[in-house]
Amino acid sequence: MDFIDLKTQYRKLKPSVDARMHAVLDHGQYILGPEVTELEQRLAARTGAKHCITCASGTDALLMAMMALGIGPGDEVITAPFTFFATGEMIALLGAHPVFVDIEPDTYNIDATQIEAAITPRTRAIMPVSLYGQCADMDAIQAMADRHGIPVIEDAAQSFGALYKGRASCNLSTIGCTSFFPSKPLGCYGDGGACFTNDDQIARVLLELRNHGQDRRYHHIRLGLNGRMDTLQAAVLLAKLEVFDTELVARSEAATRYAALLRDVVPTPQVKDDRTCVWAQYTIEVEDRDAVQQAMAEQGIPTAVHYPVPLHLQPVFASMHLPEGSFPVSERAGKRVLSLPMHPYLTPPAMQSVASAVKAALAQPAAR
């Protein structure tokens, strides 16, 4: 069993993927070719954002977003410690300081009620993470940010396609950033990402930043990076967009089936009534996770942990002097979360096998 079945997806999309990629091979515009422009137009239209600027990865998207807002040494950016490392990494890479706020125990997203207490005169942005495919409480966060005159950057690396109060993730704040890493609900065949904004000036700066800070060829008005998306990756994403909505329905049906199979067995993911989830991960909580993972592996069921060590406990952030106990909800989640196979091509028998393996693993004495 595959944790994420990209092979089955490719077999279903092979004619479209192959045709799109061969078109790029035929015209030979491998950097910023016409497929990149087409993709940006399609993604912007889908989210309702005025601008979409594709880039080389979700990590680059976060970096570019903060650079476009002028964030640098000594500034503070508020975010959650329970996330992929890139969220805090890009803040620190710019010389800014990540300021962590704990998460909600049911959604794993930043607890909006705790953010205001973390705001200081040095706060330059709030960066909520839409983890596992569900948006954070973006209206509450944006209202708070507006009161303090602070921009919001949505780290939507896992939530492209999700809705919050009927509005699209990536178009809920000053800048939305997403990733097209292969395992994402909409993923390419390598690294890829995008920034979204309704601000014309920010969009112009993002375009310059992703191409070495130039406003025209060999005329560099700012420091930037090589953040361009490869045309071949844009071609893959255009092919996958054709079935994206169908796949989101299949993911939702799989999540509903998992919830029924695992009800009263383990804590299962909760989705707020005012939003949808694209199920980038289907994550449960268990005691003695190592034993459960081992028992499931012995039954041929792959699992993963997203994420075992919160950012404040990572060695590189030891100088922040935030010991264990600083963010108890994040720390508890890091010890207990376990992600199960999740993709649009999961069959009911496969899901039954996963659920049976979870139950059997929990029945073992070491996992009780």
Side-chain angles (χ1 to χ4, degrees), residues 204-205 207-209 211-224:
R204 182 184 65 79
V205 174
L207 283 168
E208 294 164 357
L209 287 169
N211 198 14
H212 300 288
Q214 57 183 3
D215 61 348
R216 60 184 184 273
R217 191 166 175 80
Y218 298 131
H219 189 262
H220 304 267
I221 62 171
R222 65 183 77 248
L223 295 177

Side-chain angles (χ1 to χ4, degrees), residues 106-331:
D106 53 349
T107 67
Y108 305 108
N109 286 327
I110 194 168
D111 186 341
T113 66
Q114 297 186 39
I115 291 176
E116 196 145 26
I119 294 174
T120 77
R122 300 196 331 185
T123 304
R124 291 293 308 279
I126 302 171
M127 188 185 291
V129 182
S130 296
L131 203 67
Y132 297 160
Q134 175 180 195
C135 294
D137 192 354
M138 296 298 292
D139 278 359
I141 294 168
Q142 189 64 58
M144 193 182 316
D146 288 344
R147 287 197 299 272
H148 292 271
I150 301 168
V152 176
I153 302 169
E154 183 193 7
D155 181 345
Q158 299 182 19
S159 62
F160 182 82
L163 298 178
Y164 173 85
K165 298 182 179 180
R167 296 162 12 237
S169 177
C170 295
N171 188 23
L172 302 170
S173 60
T174 313
I175 307 175
C177 301
T178 198
S179 167
F180 302 118
F181 187 77
S183 63
K184 305 300 183 186
L186 180 63
C188 52
Y189 289 161
D191 280 308
C195 294
F196 298 81
T197 187
N198 292 306
D199 187 298
D200 293 343
Q201 171 65 12
I202 290 175
R204 182 184 65 79
V205 174
L206 287 167
L207 283 168
E208 294 164 357
L209 287 169
R210 79 166 177 189
N211 198 14
H212 300 288
Q214 57 183 3
D215 61 348
R216 60 184 184 273
R217 191 166 175 80
Y218 298 131
H219 189 262
H220 304 267
I221 62 171
R222 65 183 77 248
L223 295 177
L225 62 150
N226 178 6
R228 302 169 304 228
M229 174 181 278
D230 292 338
T231 308
L232 282 167
Q233 302 301 346
V236 171
L237 290 168
L238 286 167
K240 288 194 176 189
L241 270 175
E242 297 172 12
V243 298
F244 186 52
D245 287 322
T246 301
E247 291 190 342
L248 289 183
V249 171
R251 284 177 176 272
S252 181
E253 291 173 346
T256 300
R257 189 174 296 115
Y258 265 144
L261 290 168
L262 296 170
R263 187 175 295 121
D264 303 323
V265 178
V266 291
T268 55
Q270 302 297 309
V271 179
K272 299 289 189 180
D273 291 339
D274 60 358
R275 60 204 78 167
T276 66
C277 184
V278 294
W279 301 105
Q281 306 295 341
Y282 190 89
T283 303
I284 62 174
E285 289 192 22
V286 296
E287 299 282 357
D288 198 357
R289 184 175 59 209
D290 290 346
V292 172
Q293 276 197 287
Q294 182 178 342
M296 293 183 69
E298 290 170 356
Q299 298 181 65
I301 306 296
T303 58
V305 178
H306 307 95
Y307 300 93
V309 182
L311 300 193
H312 67 289
L313 298 179
Q314 294 288 350
V316 72
F317 290 133
S319 61
M320 296 178 70
H321 303 295
L322 295 170
E324 191 157 359
S326 298
F327 303 100
V329 183
S330 295
E331 292 161 21

